[in-house]
Amino acid sequence: MSGLEKLASNGDSNQGTGNGCQSDPKETTTNIDDTECEQLQQLIFDLIRGIEDPEKPSNLEDLDVVNEQDVFVKKCGKEEFFVRIEFIPTVPHCSLAPLIGLCIRSKLQRSLTEKYKLDIFIKKGTHSTADEINKQINDKERIAAAMENPNLRKLVEKCLEEEY
């Protein structure tokens, strides 16, 4: 089974550590890895594009919150990947930007195996408190605490419901 096949799954899984892969996924990979990274990039975008916006009756792709060119993938090891996703909140002061980041993370944690390191960021210059929110949505303890809140968990579940 290839690394890409192992990354795609239907069960719940936890985010892996990436075994120290800290490189910028925007850097180029070898030709052998390029195809696998491009396929994974498309898979990840397909997973997150249909997440419903917490406020508006549209998905994140329709609102231009996420787009494929802002999903970066780099192979870090034999079967490990570093994934970086940048998103653009609908307005520069969007109070639900942390919830959008949490929804993206939750969707990927449920759909990918533990063989990846995931970073999610608000695209630079698109939100007034991006630095604070970026720290929040990439902190494992804060994420765990947020998902223990039944009301917040219910909001995440609502955003992740499939329309099909």
Side-chain angles (χ1 to χ4, degrees), residues 109-127:
Q109 286 178 328
R110 294 174 187 192
S111 303
L112 302 177
T113 68
E114 67 280 354
K115 298 284 187 175
Y116 67 97
K117 163 79 169 87
L118 175 63
D119 284 340
I120 301 171
F121 294 99
I122 294 175
K123 196 164 195 172
K124 190 172 182 157
T126 63
H127 195 280

Side-chain angles (χ1 to χ4, degrees), residues 53-70:
D53 184 83
E55 272 185 321
K56 299 176 172 51
S58 296
N59 64 44
L60 298 184
E61 179 185 31
D62 291 344
L63 294 170
D64 291 324
V65 172
V66 296
N67 56 67
E68 190 173 356
Q69 58 266 27
D70 289 329

Side-chain angles (χ1 to χ4, degrees), residues 58-91:
S58 296
N59 64 44
L60 298 184
E61 179 185 31
D62 291 344
L63 294 170
D64 291 324
V65 172
V66 296
N67 56 67
E68 190 173 356
Q69 58 266 27
D70 289 329
V71 176
F72 307 98
V73 177
K74 180 177 181 176
K75 194 161 188 178
C76 303
K78 191 172 182 179
E79 295 180 1
E80 298 155 351
F81 296 86
F82 180 70
V83 177
R84 177 185 173 105
I85 297 172
E86 296 179 357
F87 70 96
I88 303 168
T90 52
V91 293

Side-chain angles (χ1 to χ4, degrees), residues 16-60:
T17 62
N19 288 336
C21 179
Q22 300 297 323
S23 298
D24 184 350
K26 295 178 190 178
E27 294 175 6
T28 54
T29 57
T30 65
N31 290 337
I32 297 169
D33 297 337
D34 283 345
T35 301
E36 194 170 17
C37 289
E38 288 171 12
Q39 289 174 338
L40 181 56
Q41 176 186 6
Q42 182 62 53
L43 172 67
I44 289 171
F45 180 67
D46 287 344
L47 289 168
I48 65 173
R49 71 195 307 171
I51 296 172
E52 290 295 312
D53 184 83
E55 272 185 321
K56 299 176 172 51
S58 296
N59 64 44
L60 298 184

